[in-house]
Amino acid sequence: MSTPAAEGPDQAPRPKAVRRPGDRIFGALSVGSGGLILLVLVGVTVFLFSGAWEALTADPSEVRGGEGLVAYVGPLIFGTLLSAIIALIIALPLSIGIALFISHYAPRRLAAGLGYIVDLLAAVPSIIFGLWGMQIAGDAVPVFTFLFDHLGFIPFFDGESVTTTGRTMLMIGVVLAIMILPIMTAVNREVFLQTPRLHEEASLALGATRWEMIRQTVIPFGKSGVMSGAMLGLGRALGETMAVAIILSASGGGYSWELLTSNTPGTIAGDIALNFPESFGVERSTLFVSGLALFFVTFLVNMFARWIVSRRSQFSGAN
């Protein structure tokens, strides 16, 4: 077995790598940026805890609502999750379909134009969607009445009567779905475009149709990216404020699955936006508790999204 030859007296030692000043500066800036993110996260957590401490240590009768923190924050968490899940159920299949059309079906010029439109829609302020939703809420009452009359056996469409204003949890879910649709579509489009060309050509060469090729290569390759885009849209829907506050001006209170009646729970972000300016003392601290709960919910959603993406390390487009 041969061994590496020892360095002789005439053999020059290997030169050490020289770190240029630019490398040191870039490394320090990178480490500092990463540390700054952690500091901001810790600072937000400390700020929320300091604002919520008064309500956390107060008597339950002094908390906003007079029944304790769980009775006040619980329905808001439920309403936040319910509206976001409705939006995700509506937006996810639409975003996949639009992204597939742009990436694999539309002509190149049309696909480029649609891509720009999707990116522009993602930049529309949320208050615009809220005003639009409030304007068409009354026009949506006949649709809600149809669902109530024909699908009332489903608990989601059950209740005493359909509200005449149209400001329901279903309306909020539709507006949130339209808001998160451009973001999810843009992510899915980029994911589908990263599918290896050889995989697509191999599927077509074996006699697969275009849809069969998409089903066999594009969708399996982009599955983790689609899920991460869905979690990104879900995170925005969870934290949406103005659109929800405009449409659902007051929360019905309590836990309710009814999507077509006025007996709908509020959302955390909308409740804070509506009540924070005129709240003081323990009542304002209660709103900080709601914000802390929303912070942890969104944090868990992002952690879940990262876990999904990390399960497929070879997919470099979303890592």
Side-chain angles (χ1 to χ4, degrees):
M1 183 175 181
S2 61
T3 57
E7 294 183 357
D10 298 334
Q11 185 176 1
R14 293 180 179 179
K16 297 182 178 180
V18 179
R19 295 191 62 185
R20 297 181 178 87
D23 296 335
R24 296 191 182 95
I25 295 174
F26 180 77
L29 290 176
S30 301
V31 174
S33 300
L36 181 62
I37 294 175
L38 295 177
L39 288 177
V40 170
L41 185 63
V42 172
V44 172
T45 306
V46 172
F47 168 73
L48 291 175
F49 264 111
S50 62
W53 184 254
E54 186 176 0
L56 292 173
T57 57
D59 187 83
S61 59
E62 299 178 1
V63 175
R64 188 180 185 90
E67 298 180 0
L69 288 175
V70 176
Y72 181 79
V73 180
L76 295 176
I77 297 177
F78 174 79
T80 302
L81 293 175
L82 180 60
S83 61
I85 291 174
I86 293 172
L88 186 62
I89 292 174
I90 297 173
L92 181 58
L94 290 176
S95 65
I96 294 175
I98 297 172
L100 287 175
F101 176 76
I102 294 175
S103 60
H104 288 81
Y105 283 94
R108 182 172 300 179
R109 291 184 179 179
L110 179 60
L114 290 177
Y116 290 134
I117 293 175
V118 169
D119 295 336
L120 289 175
L121 286 176
V124 175
S126 60
I127 192 172
I128 304 300
F129 291 102
L131 292 174
W132 173 80
M134 183 182 63
Q135 185 69 26
I136 70 166
D139 299 332
V141 172
V143 179
F144 296 159
T145 304
F146 176 84
L147 295 175
F148 181 82
D149 294 336
H150 294 82
L151 299 177
F153 58 90
I154 302 177
F156 296 104
F157 304 127
D158 195 7
E160 295 182 359
S161 62
V162 178
T163 177
T164 58
T165 62
R167 300 185 180 186
T168 62
M169 182 60 69
L170 182 58
M171 190 69 217
I172 293 176
V174 171
V175 173
L176 291 179
I178 297 174
M179 287 182 54
I180 66 177
L181 182 61
I183 299 177
M184 296 173 59
T185 302
V187 173
N188 295 341
R189 179 194 63 198
E190 296 301 323
V191 168
F192 294 151
L193 287 175
Q194 291 176 5
T195 305
R197 187 68 179 175
L198 290 177
H199 294 182
E200 298 180 358
E201 293 177 351
S203 180
L204 294 173
L206 291 174
T209 63
R210 183 177 298 184
W211 163 241
E212 290 174 339
M213 177 271 294
I214 291 174
R215 189 180 59 187
Q216 295 171 0
T217 61
V218 178
I219 294 180
F221 180 84
K223 187 181 297 182
S224 60
V226 171
M227 291 301 298
S228 62
M231 293 300 104
L232 180 64
L234 180 62
R236 182 181 180 185
L238 288 172
E240 181 49 43
T241 303
M242 292 310 301
V244 177
I246 291 175
I247 298 173
L248 194 64
S249 57
S251 59
Y255 301 90
S256 176
W257 296 98
E258 300 173 2
L259 305 181
L260 305 178
T261 66
S262 58
N263 185 28
T264 56
T267 63
I268 294 177
D271 184 72
I272 293 175
L274 291 172
N275 298 316
F276 192 84
E278 57 211 22
S279 299
F280 300 94
V282 180
E283 291 189 354
R284 173 167 288 191
S285 182
T286 304
L287 299 178
F288 272 95
V289 176
S290 300
L292 185 64
L294 179 61
F295 176 77
F296 279 113
V297 169
T298 54
F299 187 74
L300 292 176
V301 168
N302 290 328
M303 288 183 61
F304 180 67
R306 291 303 308 170
W307 176 74
I308 291 177
V309 175
S310 65
R311 290 184 61 186
R312 189 176 177 185
S313 58
Q314 68 267 27
F315 177 64
S316 61
N319 288 337

